[in-house]
Amino acid sequence: LDAEHQRLQDHPSDPQLGSGSLTVTIVHGGTGMNVVPDRCALAVDRRLVAGEDPAAITAQLKALAERSC
């Protein structure tokens, strides 16, 4: 996720809105301090700028999640 966020920062930006962004906003996982969680769920906020295709961004995020799991 950090690499994708950095890629967005290096991408050409909108003159008024700046660059797109990707931020993890919610993390859920585990049931106790001494228990290894069997899963983790993340919520992310992906800010789009002019010229970005929402359907293409959704596909990219799905592919990123599949590669990371």
Side-chain angles (χ1 to χ4, degrees), residues 7-26:
R7 185 190 71 77
L8 292 169
Q9 298 308 299
D10 295 340
H11 193 269
S13 62
D14 181 272
Q16 293 178 328
L17 300 175
S19 299
S21 64
L22 176 67
T23 306
V24 175
T25 56
I26 300 172

Side-chain angles (χ1 to χ4, degrees), residues 32-67:
M33 293 290 292
N34 61 340
V35 179
V36 177
D38 64 339
R39 72 181 93 189
C40 178
L42 302 175
V44 297
D45 176 39
R46 173 61 167 87
R47 300 288 172 105
L48 304 176
V49 294
E52 291 188 296
D53 176 21
I57 299 301
T58 299
Q60 289 173 354
L61 290 174
K62 286 180 179 179
L64 177 62
E66 289 172 2
R67 285 194 314 269

